[in-house]
Amino acid sequence: MATVTVANGNCAVCEKPAAKRCQQCKSIWYCCRDCQVSDWKAHKARCKAIAADIAQADSYTIHKREFDRIRTTYGLDSPEQAEKIAELLSNTNVNEGVSAPEFAKMFGMTPEEAVVFLEWIKVGVKFKEDTAKNAAGSGLAG
């Protein structure tokens, strides 16, 4: 039996009103255990993928929240500090990068906070590079 995504709280199998969701992915509703068990073979692969996406999104959210806390706590969002960070990162050998302890010392934070900050910067740089590459591939780059 194929899994049907139902957003209104109806059972994915029999479409009766449902009060229970899949505990792993929380995206599929079931009216009873029998319907859930009968749908598991069809739902299993999708369920694991959805749960993995949710976990990754949660990780990004937590990491971004911590990045923002560090940025504001240490005043790294000021134009002067942003320029200082940009200059530091652009003048560092690409293969070496700036070390977290060095960055922490320069900006008065813990090495752990520096790791979080620098890793999030890498995420942003990768996103920018991927976006530029996709735009160039689609003919949108000018």
Side-chain angles (χ1 to χ4, degrees):
M1 189 172 294
T3 299
V4 178
T5 302
V6 182
N8 64 357
N10 288 342
C11 181
V13 177
C14 69
E15 297 185 17
K16 290 180 183 174
K20 299 176 183 180
R21 283 193 296 180
C22 173
Q23 289 300 300
Q24 189 167 352
C25 72
K26 300 186 181 0
S27 68
I28 302 295
W29 291 85
Y30 297 102
C31 65
C32 65
R33 178 169 166 68
D34 289 342
C35 282
Q36 184 176 10
V37 170
S38 72
D39 192 43
W40 179 242
K41 191 173 183 178
H43 176 60
K44 184 178 181 179
R46 185 164 175 260
C47 178
K48 292 183 185 299
I50 291 168
D53 286 348
I54 290 168
Q56 183 176 14
D58 287 347
S59 174
Y60 278 126
T61 300
I62 291 166
H63 199 150
K64 175 67 166 91
R65 192 176 301 134
E66 182 63 2
F67 171 82
D68 288 341
R69 184 197 65 78
I70 292 165
R71 187 175 46 81
T72 56
T73 298
Y74 297 99
L76 302 179
D77 50 355
S78 73
E80 298 81 21
Q81 292 291 60
E83 182 65 31
K84 188 175 175 182
I85 292 167
E87 191 172 309
L88 172 68
L89 296 176
S90 63
N91 290 332
T92 305
N93 183 331
V94 174
N95 295 325
E96 295 174 13
V98 61
S99 74
E102 177 186 1
F103 190 89
K105 188 174 182 179
M106 290 177 74
F107 294 97
M109 63 181 70
T110 68
E112 293 81 8
E113 290 171 322
V115 167
V116 169
F117 188 87
L118 292 170
E119 286 301 315
W120 192 255
I121 293 293
K122 286 182 189 176
V123 168
V125 169
K126 183 173 179 358
F127 176 78
K128 184 176 179 181
E129 289 170 350
D130 290 349
T131 302
K133 190 185 310 178
N134 290 339
S138 68
L140 296 176

